[in-house]
Short mmCIF file of all heavy atoms in Angstrom, two decimals:
data_model
loop_
_atom_site.label_atom_id
_atom_site.label_comp_id
_atom_site.label_asym_id
_atom_site.label_seq_id
_atom_site.Cartn_x
_atom_site.Cartn_y
_atom_site.Cartn_z
N PHE A 1196 64.78 99.59 57.02
CA PHE A 1196 64.32 99.13 55.72
C PHE A 1196 64.97 100.01 54.68
O PHE A 1196 65.51 101.09 54.99
CB PHE A 1196 62.80 99.24 55.59
CG PHE A 1196 62.04 98.26 56.44
CD1 PHE A 1196 61.90 98.43 57.81
CD2 PHE A 1196 61.46 97.14 55.87
CE1 PHE A 1196 61.22 97.55 58.59
CE2 PHE A 1196 60.74 96.23 56.65
CZ PHE A 1196 60.61 96.42 58.01
N ARG A 1197 64.93 99.57 53.41
CA ARG A 1197 65.40 100.44 52.33
C ARG A 1197 64.52 100.24 51.11
O ARG A 1197 63.86 99.19 50.96
CB ARG A 1197 66.88 100.14 52.02
CG ARG A 1197 67.16 98.75 51.43
CD ARG A 1197 68.66 98.54 51.33
NE ARG A 1197 68.99 97.23 50.74
CZ ARG A 1197 70.21 96.76 50.62
NH1 ARG A 1197 71.26 97.47 51.03
NH2 ARG A 1197 70.41 95.57 50.06
N GLN A 1198 64.55 101.22 50.26
CA GLN A 1198 63.70 101.18 49.08
C GLN A 1198 64.36 101.91 47.94
O GLN A 1198 64.93 103.00 48.11
CB GLN A 1198 62.33 101.82 49.38
CG GLN A 1198 61.31 101.62 48.28
CD GLN A 1198 59.93 102.08 48.71
OE1 GLN A 1198 59.77 102.89 49.61
NE2 GLN A 1198 58.91 101.52 48.08
N VAL A 1199 64.30 101.29 46.75
CA VAL A 1199 64.73 101.94 45.52
C VAL A 1199 63.51 102.20 44.66
O VAL A 1199 62.49 101.48 44.79
CB VAL A 1199 65.78 101.10 44.77
CG1 VAL A 1199 67.01 100.93 45.62
CG2 VAL A 1199 65.22 99.74 44.38
N PRO A 1200 63.56 103.17 43.77
CA PRO A 1200 62.38 103.47 42.94
C PRO A 1200 61.91 102.25 42.16
O PRO A 1200 62.72 101.55 41.56
CB PRO A 1200 62.89 104.58 42.01
CG PRO A 1200 63.99 105.23 42.80
CD PRO A 1200 64.64 104.14 43.56
N GLY A 1201 60.61 102.05 42.19
CA GLY A 1201 60.04 100.95 41.44
C GLY A 1201 60.07 99.61 42.13
O GLY A 1201 59.56 98.61 41.56
N LYS A 1202 60.61 99.55 43.33
CA LYS A 1202 60.68 98.28 44.06
C LYS A 1202 60.00 98.42 45.41
O LYS A 1202 59.81 99.53 45.93
CB LYS A 1202 62.14 97.85 44.22
CG LYS A 1202 62.82 97.45 42.94
CD LYS A 1202 64.14 96.74 43.21
CE LYS A 1202 64.77 96.22 41.95
NZ LYS A 1202 66.04 95.50 42.21
N GLU A 1203 59.68 97.27 45.98
CA GLU A 1203 59.06 97.21 47.31
C GLU A 1203 60.10 97.61 48.36
O GLU A 1203 61.30 97.40 48.19
CB GLU A 1203 58.56 95.82 47.61
CG GLU A 1203 57.44 95.32 46.69
CD GLU A 1203 56.12 96.02 46.99
OE1 GLU A 1203 55.85 96.27 48.18
OE2 GLU A 1203 55.40 96.32 46.05
N ARG A 1204 59.57 98.16 49.45
CA ARG A 1204 60.48 98.46 50.57
C ARG A 1204 60.92 97.12 51.16
O ARG A 1204 60.11 96.23 51.37
CB ARG A 1204 59.69 99.25 51.61
CG ARG A 1204 60.56 99.83 52.73
CD ARG A 1204 59.78 100.84 53.54
NE ARG A 1204 59.37 101.99 52.75
CZ ARG A 1204 58.81 103.09 53.26
NH1 ARG A 1204 58.60 103.17 54.56
NH2 ARG A 1204 58.47 104.11 52.46
N GLU A 1205 62.23 96.99 51.41
CA GLU A 1205 62.76 95.74 51.90
C GLU A 1205 63.41 95.87 53.26
O GLU A 1205 64.03 96.91 53.56
CB GLU A 1205 63.78 95.13 50.90
CG GLU A 1205 65.06 95.91 50.75
CD GLU A 1205 66.11 95.13 49.97
OE1 GLU A 1205 65.90 93.95 49.64
OE2 GLU A 1205 67.17 95.73 49.68
N PHE A 1206 63.27 94.86 54.03
CA PHE A 1206 63.87 94.79 55.36
C PHE A 1206 65.38 94.69 55.25
O PHE A 1206 65.89 93.94 54.42
CB PHE A 1206 63.31 93.57 56.10
CG PHE A 1206 63.91 93.32 57.46
CD1 PHE A 1206 63.46 94.00 58.57
CD2 PHE A 1206 64.90 92.36 57.61
CE1 PHE A 1206 63.99 93.77 59.83
CE2 PHE A 1206 65.42 92.08 58.86
CZ PHE A 1206 64.98 92.79 59.97
N VAL A 1207 66.08 95.44 56.08
CA VAL A 1207 67.56 95.38 56.11
C VAL A 1207 68.03 94.70 57.40
O VAL A 1207 68.75 93.70 57.35
CB VAL A 1207 68.15 96.80 56.02
CG1 VAL A 1207 69.67 96.74 56.23
CG2 VAL A 1207 67.80 97.45 54.70
N ALA A 1208 67.61 95.25 58.52
CA ALA A 1208 68.03 94.69 59.83
C ALA A 1208 67.08 95.20 60.90
O ALA A 1208 66.51 96.29 60.78
CB ALA A 1208 69.47 95.11 60.14
N GLY A 1209 66.97 94.41 61.98
CA GLY A 1209 66.15 94.82 63.10
C GLY A 1209 66.82 94.43 64.42
O GLY A 1209 67.62 93.48 64.44
N ILE A 1210 66.46 95.14 65.47
CA ILE A 1210 67.00 94.83 66.79
C ILE A 1210 65.85 94.84 67.78
O ILE A 1210 65.06 95.76 67.86
CB ILE A 1210 68.10 95.85 67.18
CG1 ILE A 1210 68.73 95.48 68.52
CG2 ILE A 1210 67.60 97.26 67.18
CD1 ILE A 1210 70.05 96.16 68.79
N GLY A 1211 65.74 93.74 68.50
CA GLY A 1211 64.64 93.54 69.42
C GLY A 1211 64.83 94.29 70.73
O GLY A 1211 65.88 94.88 71.00
N TRP A 1212 63.79 94.25 71.56
CA TRP A 1212 63.84 94.96 72.80
C TRP A 1212 64.86 94.37 73.76
O TRP A 1212 65.41 95.10 74.61
CB TRP A 1212 62.45 95.03 73.47
CG TRP A 1212 61.92 93.72 73.96
CD1 TRP A 1212 61.52 92.65 73.22
CD2 TRP A 1212 61.76 93.34 75.31
NE1 TRP A 1212 61.08 91.64 74.03
CE2 TRP A 1212 61.21 92.05 75.34
CE3 TRP A 1212 61.99 93.98 76.55
CZ2 TRP A 1212 60.93 91.35 76.51
CZ3 TRP A 1212 61.69 93.30 77.71
CH2 TRP A 1212 61.17 92.00 77.69
N ARG A 1213 65.19 93.09 73.57
CA ARG A 1213 66.27 92.47 74.32
C ARG A 1213 67.58 92.45 73.55
O ARG A 1213 68.51 91.76 73.89
CB ARG A 1213 65.87 91.05 74.72
CG ARG A 1213 64.79 90.98 75.77
CD ARG A 1213 64.43 89.56 76.11
NE ARG A 1213 63.47 89.48 77.22
CZ ARG A 1213 62.89 88.37 77.65
NH1 ARG A 1213 63.19 87.22 77.07
NH2 ARG A 1213 62.04 88.40 78.64
N GLU A 1214 67.58 93.20 72.45
CA GLU A 1214 68.77 93.42 71.62
C GLU A 1214 69.19 92.21 70.82
O GLU A 1214 70.35 92.14 70.40
CB GLU A 1214 69.92 94.05 72.44
CG GLU A 1214 69.46 95.29 73.19
CD GLU A 1214 70.56 96.26 73.52
OE1 GLU A 1214 71.67 96.11 73.00
OE2 GLU A 1214 70.26 97.21 74.29
N SER A 1215 68.25 91.29 70.58
CA SER A 1215 68.52 90.28 69.55
C SER A 1215 68.47 90.99 68.21
O SER A 1215 67.82 92.02 68.07
CB SER A 1215 67.47 89.19 69.61
OG SER A 1215 66.19 89.75 69.38
N THR A 1216 69.18 90.44 67.23
CA THR A 1216 69.23 91.08 65.94
C THR A 1216 68.84 90.11 64.83
O THR A 1216 68.94 88.90 64.97
CB THR A 1216 70.64 91.64 65.63
OG1 THR A 1216 71.60 90.56 65.69
CG2 THR A 1216 71.01 92.72 66.62
N LEU A 1217 68.38 90.70 63.72
CA LEU A 1217 68.01 89.92 62.56
C LEU A 1217 68.45 90.73 61.34
O LEU A 1217 68.22 91.95 61.27
CB LEU A 1217 66.50 89.70 62.49
CG LEU A 1217 65.97 88.97 61.25
CD1 LEU A 1217 66.46 87.51 61.25
CD2 LEU A 1217 64.45 89.02 61.21
N TYR A 1218 69.09 90.06 60.39
CA TYR A 1218 69.51 90.69 59.14
C TYR A 1218 68.84 89.97 57.98
O TYR A 1218 68.54 88.79 58.07
CB TYR A 1218 71.05 90.63 58.99
CG TYR A 1218 71.76 91.44 60.05
CD1 TYR A 1218 72.07 90.89 61.29
CD2 TYR A 1218 72.12 92.75 59.82
CE1 TYR A 1218 72.70 91.62 62.29
CE2 TYR A 1218 72.76 93.52 60.80
CZ TYR A 1218 73.06 92.94 62.01
OH TYR A 1218 73.69 93.67 62.98
N SER A 1219 68.66 90.70 56.90
CA SER A 1219 67.93 90.13 55.78
C SER A 1219 68.73 89.07 55.03
O SER A 1219 68.15 88.20 54.35
CB SER A 1219 67.50 91.22 54.81
OG SER A 1219 68.66 91.85 54.28
N SER A 1220 70.06 89.13 55.12
CA SER A 1220 70.88 88.16 54.41
C SER A 1220 72.23 88.01 55.09
O SER A 1220 72.63 88.88 55.89
CB SER A 1220 71.09 88.64 52.95
OG SER A 1220 71.90 89.80 52.92
N ASP A 1221 72.93 86.95 54.76
CA ASP A 1221 74.28 86.77 55.32
C ASP A 1221 75.21 87.86 54.82
O ASP A 1221 76.14 88.28 55.52
CB ASP A 1221 74.83 85.40 54.93
CG ASP A 1221 74.14 84.27 55.67
OD1 ASP A 1221 73.52 84.55 56.73
OD2 ASP A 1221 74.20 83.13 55.20
N ASP A 1222 74.95 88.30 53.57
CA ASP A 1222 75.81 89.37 53.02
C ASP A 1222 75.69 90.62 53.86
O ASP A 1222 76.71 91.23 54.26
CB ASP A 1222 75.43 89.66 51.58
CG ASP A 1222 76.12 90.90 51.04
OD1 ASP A 1222 77.37 90.90 51.04
OD2 ASP A 1222 75.46 91.86 50.61
N LEU A 1223 74.46 91.04 54.15
CA LEU A 1223 74.30 92.24 54.97
C LEU A 1223 74.77 92.03 56.40
O LEU A 1223 75.33 92.94 57.02
CB LEU A 1223 72.83 92.70 54.96
CG LEU A 1223 72.31 93.26 53.62
CD1 LEU A 1223 70.93 93.83 53.78
CD2 LEU A 1223 73.26 94.29 53.08
#
């Protein structure tokens, strides 16, 4: 996750126990 001052913490990317992945956007 990432966070900038004054904003909510946002999801960036995750990897599952079977190594599937999820990203917050196509850009990332």
